[in-house]
Amino acid sequence: MAEGAASQEEQSPETPDSPSPISSFFSGSGSKQLPQAIIIGVKKGGTRALLEFLRVHPDVRAVGAEPHFFDRSYDKGLAWYRDLMPRTLDGQITMEKTPSYFVTREAPARISAMSKDTKLLVVVRDPVTRAVSDYTQTLSKRPDIPSFESLAFRNRSAGLVDRSWSAIQIGLYAEHLERWLRHFPARQMLFVSGERLVRDPAGELGRVQDFLGLKRIISDKHFYFNQTKGFPCLKKAEGSGRPHCLGKTKGRPHPEIDAQVLRQLRDFYRPFNRKFYQMTGHDFGWDG
Ligand SMILES: Nc1ncnc2c1ncn2[C@@H]1O[C@H](COP(=O)(O)OS(=O)(=O)O)[C@@H](OP(=O)(O)O)[C@H]1O
């Protein structure tokens, strides 16, 4: 983890955060830049996968840990933030990912104050599955928490969903997006489908490379489907050059949730999802 940066993400030891000797050699030259592109969310959307896949590109340099600058460390100042970044050469893009930015009220104004040209990437995933994934992460750290079913409702028999529970709140994508659009034009935001990132990583990475103005280098050739993991993995990770899957905390089994509860949550999210599809001009297919 970068010194001074606080990550909430459960990092896998396999995550290639330390540069290889060859990339250390190159990182001696160049200079540290503030990021031109940031993966701002969403938590449990597939943000680590997107960053690790993008790092394969020779023109992308990214900080491995989550800096949490625009939500938790803003008072440390931009010089502190820049110092966390890897060195880059001319033409390379500096990136970071901190999924909590998407739901942080102050983040849009703060990022815009750094540079109004910052490109923003958001990996979105079915908000119901995302909520279960979020709950699964909390459960892994605190096995004594109440059931998903009891936390999701203020009054279950009345079908009253608890919007104040963060696992529910984060999935109200249209509401969060409204705040970002007060500070950034829609053309500066790209919404990556978390589902497609699993099904067709090269296809989704094609869109991302175009959006970032990068040559299309990352393609089908870079991925293989690991049957044991049940997810796409990299044939050669940035840094090590060895096959690389994300760690054990990525793609873990979810507890079984009552089917009626899942239906109620689908009903709850439907109007928010519709609005989000309208705002982004893209139907993500969560209500199919
Ligand atoms: N290739 C690959 N390998 C493993 N996992 C993958 C991959 N692509 C996407 N995902 C999905 O990423 C989910 C975790 O999302 P994040 O990395 O955004 O989580 S975090 O907010 O940073 O904790 C994680 O959620 P869970 O399945 O609930 O563990 C995965 O579904």
Side-chain angles (χ1 to χ4, degrees):
M1 189 192 292
E3 200 191 331
S7 178
Q8 247 195 347
E9 186 184 16
E10 304 147 288
Q11 282 276 14
S12 83
E14 297 118 285
T15 306
D17 279 341
S18 43
S20 66
I22 188 101
S23 54
S24 306
F25 170 76
F26 284 116
S27 66
S29 50
S31 57
K32 295 185 176 193
Q33 305 292 329
L34 289 166
Q36 296 87 30
I38 306 178
I39 301 171
I40 58 171
V42 302
K43 185 182 179 194
K44 307 319 289 180
T47 56
R48 176 57 59 190
L50 178 60
L51 192 71
E52 291 312 316
F53 296 167
L54 265 173
R55 284 174 119 183
V56 168
H57 200 292
D59 293 335
V60 172
R61 302 278 287 130
V63 53
E66 294 176 5
H68 280 279
F69 174 64
F70 294 105
D71 57 344
R72 298 192 208 137
S73 295
Y74 195 60
D75 56 332
K76 294 195 168 105
L78 282 171
W80 175 88
Y81 183 46
R82 182 173 40 226
D83 205 44
L84 296 178
M85 300 299 151
R87 290 178 186 278
T88 46
L89 301 169
D90 271 359
Q92 287 183 317
I93 297 178
T94 302
M95 291 192 70
E96 69 120 318
K97 78 116 178 160
T98 303
S100 49
Y101 292 161
F102 188 60
V103 299
T104 299
R105 302 198 93 79
E106 302 82 5
R110 288 174 174 178
I111 296 181
S112 171
M114 174 181 74
S115 168
K116 58 180 179 35
D117 298 325
T118 312
K119 290 184 178 177
L120 307 170
L121 293 123
V122 194
V123 189
V124 287
R125 179 181 186 186
D126 179 341
V128 179
T129 330
R130 198 218 67 81
V132 178
S133 171
D134 204 336
Y135 173 78
T136 307
Q137 173 166 320
T138 312
L139 192 66
S140 73
K141 294 180 196 159
R142 306 210 313 262
D144 53 338
I145 55 167
S147 68
F148 179 90
E149 289 85 344
S150 61
L151 289 168
F153 294 96
R154 278 205 281 159
N155 181 334
R156 186 170 167 185
S157 46
L160 206 57
V161 171
D162 189 353
R163 286 182 52 138
S164 69
W165 184 31
S166 69
I168 299 291
Q169 173 71 29
I170 293 171
L172 302 170
Y173 302 146
E175 297 204 344
H176 303 298
L177 178 55
E178 263 175 6
R179 288 199 308 274
W180 286 91
L181 291 175
R182 283 185 217 136
H183 296 269
F184 287 93
R187 65 169 185 282
Q188 257 166 260
M189 302 189 74
L190 186 75
F191 298 90
V192 174
S193 158
E195 286 82 11
R196 192 165 170 233
L197 194 60
V198 174
R199 225 179 28 246
D200 176 17
E204 216 49 6
L205 264 288
R207 292 180 60 229
V208 174
Q209 291 171 97
D210 291 349
F211 172 72
L212 293 175
L214 294 165
K215 206 173 148 195
R216 278 198 180 215
I217 287 178
I218 308 165
S219 71
D220 271 327
K221 288 194 235 111
H222 290 87
F223 301 97
Y224 74 99
F225 188 83
N226 185 303
Q227 295 292 347
T228 320
K229 175 97 184 149
F231 280 88
C233 298
L234 286 169
K235 284 187 191 161
K236 285 181 182 181
E238 191 271 336
S240 76
R242 287 196 299 268
H244 174 68
C245 294
L246 299 194
K248 288 192 181 67
T249 64
K250 307 292 181 184
R252 59 187 149 198
H254 295 173
E256 204 176 307
I257 308 296
D258 184 287
Q260 169 69 15
V261 165
L262 294 177
R263 270 195 298 277
Q264 282 173 290
L265 288 183
R266 294 209 177 284
D267 291 345
F268 167 76
Y269 277 118
R270 191 166 297 110
F272 297 99
N273 288 346
R274 291 236 168 99
K275 185 157 179 218
F276 183 67
Y277 299 164
Q278 270 172 12
M279 292 169 87
T280 58
H282 185 85
D283 181 341
F284 288 87
W286 303 317
D287 307 285

